[in-house]
Amino acid sequence: MRLLFMGPQASGKGTQAKIISKKLEIPHISTGDLLRNVEGELKEEIDSYMNQGMLYPDEGMIRILKERFKEDDTDNGFILDGFPRNLKQAEMLDEITEIDKVVEIHVDEERTIQRILNRLNCPNCGALFNAVKHKPKVENICDDCGSGLIKRKDDTEEAIRKRLEIYERDTKPVLEHYKGRVVRVDGGIGIKNVTEAILEKLKV
Ligand code: AMP
């Protein structure tokens, strides 16, 4: 199954993409993670876009994504998280692969901002926690791999508002592009319930 997970920042799409990718045994491809993991001369340029909450240019992004698709683990499907962010990216994606279903997770804006401000990430294994609602067992230590948790540099209120503005303006219209393939899920009903709702709507 080739899936897209869409939703504003901190809608829980990253968390859900991880859970569902394990259940369906398909890789979770987060374009934010792909960019964060780039090493070498591009790193500084990428960081400057990310820290301001701005999108990395489409051509560069698609080049990085195409490289990822060359790996064999995508043969039976994937969950793409964070891509496409605009119509141009959706059209570029059409040229590389076909998408079966789009999962849209929606939450209201204020809830989203609070979630992001409390978000904690594991830089080693990618696990996500929340300092209020989904605390790690030991403060600031990842439950899964024991590494120290960090706050993302772009999780400031200013960068968050910028990213939400871009989502409303550029990303939401992408849902129209996938009309007929979109399933919509309420992201505010708790992690487990959201997972169940997604699986139910995907009929898997
Ligand atoms: P995310 O981890 O999805 O919240 O993405 C973090 C940041 O990575 C975004 O604010 C952008 O700067 C960059 N980014 C992630 N995905 C894309 C994309 N599809 N196109 C351009 N920039 C992206």
Side-chain angles (χ1 to χ4, degrees):
M1 221 178 205
R2 288 156 301 196
L3 302 173
L4 294 185
F5 274 32
M6 295 188 57
Q9 312 299 309
S11 53
K13 72 180 158 51
T15 302
Q16 292 298 333
K18 280 192 183 69
I19 298 171
I20 305 236
S21 87
K22 277 195 193 129
K23 281 199 193 285
L24 301 185
E25 297 180 0
I26 49 177
H28 167 213
I29 303 175
S30 146
T31 47
D33 286 347
L34 289 181
L35 290 173
R36 273 183 285 277
N37 291 335
V38 168
E39 307 271 349
E41 54 187 30
L42 277 181
K43 186 158 186 56
E44 206 176 310
E45 185 195 329
I46 290 176
D47 278 355
S48 88
Y49 280 95
M50 290 180 90
N51 292 343
Q52 294 174 70
M54 282 166 61
L55 290 189
Y56 188 60
D58 298 330
E59 277 77 13
M61 183 71 256
I62 199 92
R63 216 173 301 130
I64 293 170
L65 187 58
K66 267 186 176 166
E67 279 305 306
R68 178 64 185 86
F69 277 135
K70 283 187 187 157
E71 291 174 35
D72 302 341
D73 63 345
T74 59
D75 290 352
N76 293 326
F78 51 79
I79 296 179
L80 195 48
D81 160 16
F83 192 98
R85 293 279 233 274
N86 55 39
L87 269 179
K88 178 139 183 260
Q89 292 188 357
E91 285 160 6
M92 287 170 135
L93 186 63
D94 287 343
E95 289 170 21
I96 318 176
T97 187
E98 202 175 312
I99 298 301
D100 299 312
K101 286 264 190 261
V102 177
V103 175
E104 183 201 1
I105 304 182
H106 63 98
V107 272
D108 72 70
E109 190 161 306
E110 279 315 307
R111 187 194 281 253
T112 298
I113 292 170
Q114 286 315 313
R115 276 190 184 180
I116 302 178
L117 289 173
N118 292 323
R119 178 155 79 172
L120 292 168
N121 284 55
C122 175
N124 181 45
C125 73
L128 292 169
F129 299 87
N130 179 294
V132 180
K133 292 213 161 150
H134 176 42
K135 290 184 187 171
K137 290 191 187 96
V138 180
E139 195 175 348
N140 281 329
I141 299 293
C142 177
D143 288 357
D144 297 346
C145 75
S147 302
L149 298 173
I150 53 163
K151 274 189 84 61
R152 270 169 50 170
K153 271 197 246 154
D154 58 344
D155 280 351
T156 60
E157 186 146 358
E158 200 188 345
I160 295 163
R161 290 204 185 272
K162 181 86 206 151
R163 300 206 303 270
L164 287 172
E165 192 185 304
I166 294 175
Y167 182 79
E168 283 296 316
R169 191 189 64 212
D170 298 336
T171 311
K172 258 197 171 167
V174 173
L175 291 164
E176 264 304 288
H177 182 82
Y178 295 107
K179 220 170 163 185
R181 282 176 277 175
V182 180
V183 297
R184 198 158 193 258
V185 174
D186 178 359
I189 56 176
I191 294 178
K192 235 176 137 212
N193 294 330
V194 178
T195 306
E196 278 169 17
I198 293 173
L199 292 172
E200 158 86 29
K201 292 203 173 176
L202 290 176
K203 297 185 177 60
V204 285

